[in-house]
Amino acid sequence: MKIKLTSVYVSDQDKALRFYTEFLGFAKKADFSQGPFRWLTVASPEEPDGAQLQLALNDNPAAKAYQEAIYQQGQPAVMFFTEDVRGDYERIKAHGAEFTMPPTDVTGSTIAKLNDTCGNLVQLTQLARW
Amino acid sequence: MTDRAQYTPGPASGAEVRKDGEQWTLILVRELRHSPDKVWQALTDPAHLREWAPFDANGRMDLAGATVTLTTVAAPRPHVTEATVMRADPPRLLEYNWGDHHLRWELEALAGGTRLTLWTNIGRRFIAMGAAGWHICFDVLDHLLSGSPIGRIVGGEAMKFGWQRLNAEYARQFGIETPERPPQTNQHS
C-alpha cells in the first residue's frame, strides 16, 4: 500500500491548473475526461513519479460546505513541503498570489499560507533542521 | 460474451465539430437499423441506458421537466450530477444536461431505421476523447438494439477495445495535434 495521490476540491479546474502550475510550479500529470467528469492531477517536477495532487471539481454540496468552513477558520486544505519557504514566498508573491500568512516560525517548522483562488488555503512548510 | 471478445470498433467516422473558442460542439451521427421508437426507449429508459450509456440514470428521461440523477460509470471517483430533461418529444427530440454538458439527441426516421444525431458541448482538449467514447457506446447500443447485447464498454474498459486508436483518429480529423493520453500511458510526461 502506498500513498500516491491526494485530492483538493477546487471551484474551477482550469483556474486551479493555472495556480498549481504557474504559481506553485507543479506540472500537469494526468488530464482526461469522461463526459462532464474530468480527472486532473499535477505532480512536483522534483518528483515526477511521486505523489499526485488531484484537482477535483467541487460540484458536491457536502464538500462545498466543508471547504468553506475550513477556509473561514484559516485551515489549509493541503500542505506542501519545501526546502526554502522564504524563497518560495518571495517568488510566488512576486507572481501576484495572495498570502494570508507570511513565512512564520512555528514549532518545528516555518510555514506560510496562501490563497489558491479556487476556494482553498495552501500551506507551505519548511521543516526546521536541528 | 464471445461477441464482446470479438468486438473491435470500426474507423472514426460520422463526427464533426463546431469550433467556438475553447468551447467546441461535438456532433455525432449514427444510422441504426431500428425504429425511432426502439431507439427512443434505449435513450430514455434507465434499464436500457444501463446496457450502453456512460452513465446510470435513476429514473425515466422521457418527460420534459423531470429531474434525474446521473452517475458516471467507472469514473476514478464517484461522480453524481442532477440532470434536468429540457425537451422530450418522443420519438424525435431529447435534451438534457449531464453536469455542464448539454446533450441534444435527434432521431430521424429513415427507410428501415433511424438516423441518430447527438450534439454536445465539450472542451477542445477533450473532444476527441468524447467522440471515441461515444463511438464505442453507439456500437454497443447497436448490438443491444439488434438483440445481441455485448455489455456496456465505458471508462477504463474502453481502453481494451480500441479507444486509443479512435481517440487518435478523431483528433486527426478534428485538427487536434496532440491528443491527451490516459494516465496509464502518461507516466513520463
Side-chain angles (χ1 to χ4, degrees), chain A residues 81-91 124-126:
Chain A
F81 285 73
T82 171
E83 298 295 317
D84 179 13
V85 70
R86 288 190 169 78
D88 286 338
Y89 168 76
E90 294 300 339
R91 176 178 59 82
L124 308 182
T125 298
Q126 181 178 359

Side-chain angles (χ1 to χ4, degrees), chain B:
Chain B
M1 276 292 163
T2 36
D3 282 351
R4 184 180 176 90
Q6 284 162 7
Y7 166 67
T8 308
S13 68
E16 62 169 292
V17 294
R18 288 195 191 146
K19 306 174 182 181
D20 179 18
E22 284 294 293
Q23 202 52 243
W24 290 14
T25 300
L26 174 65
I27 304 162
L28 295 170
V29 180
R30 179 65 69 100
E31 291 187 1
L32 298 161
R33 291 182 310 278
H34 309 281
S35 68
D37 284 334
K38 214 171 152 186
V39 176
W40 179 263
Q41 188 181 22
L43 294 178
T44 56
D45 182 332
H48 288 247
L49 287 165
R50 201 175 300 127
E51 295 295 322
W52 70 273
F55 50 77
D56 280 332
N58 76 339
R60 297 194 58 87
M61 304 193 70
D62 54 0
L63 265 183
T67 56
V68 180
T69 300
L70 301 184
T71 303
T72 304
V73 176
R77 76 190 261 177
H79 183 254
V80 178
T81 60
E82 292 299 313
T84 301
V85 179
M86 287 162 263
R87 295 180 71 174
D89 179 12
R92 285 193 296 271
L93 183 66
L94 178 69
E95 285 187 39
Y96 55 88
N97 69 295
W98 179 22
D100 59 3
H101 284 213
H102 180 264
L103 275 66
R104 172 190 166 95
W105 300 89
E106 201 173 284
L107 292 71
E108 279 173 82
L110 296 176
T114 304
R115 178 183 296 121
L116 177 66
T117 307
L118 167 65
W119 283 263
T120 182
N121 60 300
I122 185 164
R124 178 188 57 79
R125 193 184 301 116
F126 301 117
I127 202 155
M129 294 185 193
W134 284 114
H135 181 122
I136 293 173
C137 286
F138 288 179
D139 285 347
V140 173
L141 170 64
D142 203 2
H143 277 276
L144 174 70
L145 294 170
S146 302
S148 53
I150 59 173
R152 177 154 63 180
I153 299 174
V154 295
E157 186 70 6
M159 310 283 166
K160 301 177 195 163
F161 290 94
W163 181 90
Q164 292 94 324
R165 171 179 59 77
L166 282 173
N167 182 26
E169 289 176 5
Y170 281 115
R172 271 198 300 278
Q173 290 186 8
F174 301 158
I176 304 167
E177 287 163 16
T178 50
E180 298 281 343
R181 289 170 299 167
Q184 286 85 346
T185 57
N186 200 15
Q187 296 299 312
H188 301 286
S189 60

